Amino acid sequence: MPHFAPANFSRRLASLIYDSLVVVAFAMLTTVLFLLTINALISFNLLALGNHEDVSALIQADPILYTLRAMLLVLVSVLFFAYFWTKSGQTIGMRAWRLKVQTPDGALLTWPKAIARSLCALLGLGNLIVLLDFKKKRSLQDMLCGTEVVVLSKEENKKVYNSLD
């Protein structure tokens, strides 16, 4: 198994910014589907708009709907990262920056480990620990979940991508 250098903070940040754009798009789609679902429930008289001027106002005022929407948005984000980490070890942003998340022995993450890692990342803030871990350049989520993020060579990055076919 080839040895790759640990990913530094700037590469991780660049990858996270790239992935954030994709996650925001999924969050927007999820929000639209949630709004359509609430509208459908109102249309079938299963939910009442009450004295709220629109569906958005209803969701903001109702603690259950507000919490449900927040949970859906967290779920979409967690599933986005977990899916890619279990499939290839690379999200879209990680692919662009030649990063790969893996276990110390080079294996892909399992679903439970990928979900835990995503939750432990604290919306990306866990990557700040990389600035303090000079030697191994581990993030909070790497430390808690027993993972590492490495920088692949251009050839290895192509191999990962081509193995998905």
Side-chain angles (χ1 to χ4, degrees):
M1 175 182 81
H3 176 73
F4 298 106
N8 63 27
F9 178 75
S10 59
R11 275 186 179 266
R12 288 172 184 249
L13 180 61
S15 170
L16 183 61
I17 290 169
Y18 195 105
D19 285 332
S20 296
L21 298 173
V22 179
V23 170
V24 165
F26 278 119
M28 291 169 61
L29 177 62
T30 302
T31 300
V32 167
L33 294 174
F34 185 71
L35 289 170
L36 290 173
T37 301
I38 299 302
N39 268 323
L41 292 172
I42 291 169
S43 295
F44 292 118
N45 292 322
L46 299 171
L47 195 62
L49 195 57
N51 59 353
H52 302 288
E53 63 185 66
D54 58 25
V55 175
S56 294
L58 172 65
I59 293 169
Q60 288 296 110
D62 187 301
I64 294 172
L65 293 176
Y66 186 84
T67 302
L68 183 58
R69 182 189 62 185
M71 289 172 51
L72 279 171
L73 294 175
V74 169
L75 180 66
V76 164
S77 177
V78 167
L79 289 177
F80 168 81
F81 287 100
Y83 171 78
F84 283 103
W85 291 340
T86 58
K87 184 173 179 172
S88 67
Q90 294 182 300
T91 60
I92 297 165
M94 292 174 84
R95 167 111 173 91
W97 287 93
R98 295 192 345 251
L99 301 179
K100 182 181 179 190
V101 64
Q102 60 187 18
T103 62
D105 63 357
L108 291 175
L109 276 55
T110 61
W111 271 95
K113 187 171 281 219
I115 290 169
R117 187 176 192 280
S118 183
L119 292 171
C120 291
L122 305 173
L123 299 173
L125 293 176
N127 288 309
L128 292 173
I129 303 297
V130 172
L131 296 170
L132 303 175
D133 188 11
F134 302 113
K135 186 175 180 182
K136 294 184 179 179
K137 297 180 182 162
R138 295 172 301 170
S139 64
L140 176 65
Q141 57 270 27
D142 292 327
M143 292 177 189
L144 294 175
C145 298
T147 59
E148 63 183 12
V149 178
V150 296
V151 180
L152 300 176
S153 65
K154 289 180 181 179
E155 297 76 29
E156 193 65 28
N157 200 40
K158 286 179 186 175
K159 284 182 194 176
V160 171
Y161 184 71
N162 290 335
S163 71
L164 299 176
D165 295 336

